[in-house]
């Protein structure tokens, strides 16, 4: 398998990853995980290890909120601005999510939570909010173009 083929597979899987979050689809999400996947959320001391544990945690988040992801990159890895639906409309910054891929699977998810201080998003060229208070929930964006912005966490 050549570099272009691997890049095409990675791009397809990243698009599926975004689609799973936007659709709040736990089955689609879990299909992308490696068996030994992990999910961490600095600065909190929360860590999930193993496909089942990660899937259970994320499925619960899907039931609680609608989500939007916007592509970026960080530390040379694919990354997303993760936005949570706000009860008064739009989506608010929740964290910067870095993915470590292994072949065609997601091996690690690092979600750096913004904890009410969304200034980190500006480092990645991302807005702190999608849509205004009182506006409908921001529409999904399927693009996973990772070359637009880059930051370091």
């Amino acid at each position: 398998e050549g570099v272009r083929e691997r890049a095409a597979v990675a791009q397809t899987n990243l698009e599926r990853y975004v689609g799973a979050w936007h659709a709040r689809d736990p089955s689609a999400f879990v299909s992308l995980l490696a068996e030994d996947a992990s999910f961490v959320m600095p600065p909190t001391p929360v860590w999930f290890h193993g496909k089942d544990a990660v899937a259970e945690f994320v499925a619960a988040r899907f039931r609680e909120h609608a989500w939007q992801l916007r592509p970026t990159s960080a530390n040379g890895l694919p990354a997303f601005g993760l936005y949570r639906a706000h009860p008064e409309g739009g989506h608010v910054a929740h964290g910067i999510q870095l993915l470590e891929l292994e072949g065609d699977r997601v091996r690690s998810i690092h979600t750096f939570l913004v904890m009410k201080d969304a200034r980190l998003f500006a480092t990645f060229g991302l807005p702190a909010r999608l849509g205004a208070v009182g506006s409908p929930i921001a529409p999904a964006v399927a693009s996973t173009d990772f070359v637009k912005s880059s930051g370091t966490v």
Side-chain angles (χ1 to χ4, degrees):
E1 205 176 325
V3 172
R4 286 186 184 171
E5 291 82 11
R6 287 191 303 271
V9 167
Q11 181 68 27
T12 297
N13 286 335
L14 291 169
E15 290 169 3
R16 290 176 54 213
Y17 183 87
V18 169
W21 277 89
H22 289 180
R24 301 164 68 181
D25 183 344
S27 296
F29 176 81
V30 76
S31 74
L32 298 167
L33 297 177
E35 287 300 321
D36 62 346
S38 65
F39 192 112
V40 298
M41 296 181 296
T44 65
V46 176
W47 182 41
F48 299 92
H49 184 73
K51 187 177 193 173
D52 293 340
V54 173
E56 183 179 332
F57 172 75
V58 171
R61 304 297 73 78
F62 286 171
R63 288 189 299 272
E64 293 173 352
H65 303 286
W67 300 91
Q68 289 292 303
L69 281 76
R70 294 298 186 265
T72 189
S73 64
N75 301 341
L77 298 172
F80 298 95
L82 177 65
Y83 296 86
R84 186 185 72 232
H86 191 278
E88 296 176 9
H91 285 77
V92 294
H94 185 73
I96 299 293
Q97 198 170 71
L98 280 70
L99 301 183
E100 292 183 50
L101 306 175
E102 183 176 90
D104 64 348
R105 298 285 178 237
V106 176
R107 174 74 185 266
S108 298
I109 303 165
H110 305 266
T111 302
F112 294 85
L113 300 175
V114 296
M115 309 301 275
K116 300 182 182 178
D117 184 357
R119 290 179 293 178
L120 177 62
F121 272 51
T123 303
F124 295 90
L126 297 169
R129 183 177 192 93
L130 302 175
V133 171
S135 71
I137 290 177
V141 173
S143 171
T144 53
D145 178 5
F146 293 98
V147 296
K148 286 189 216 170
S149 60
S150 180
T152 302
V153 291

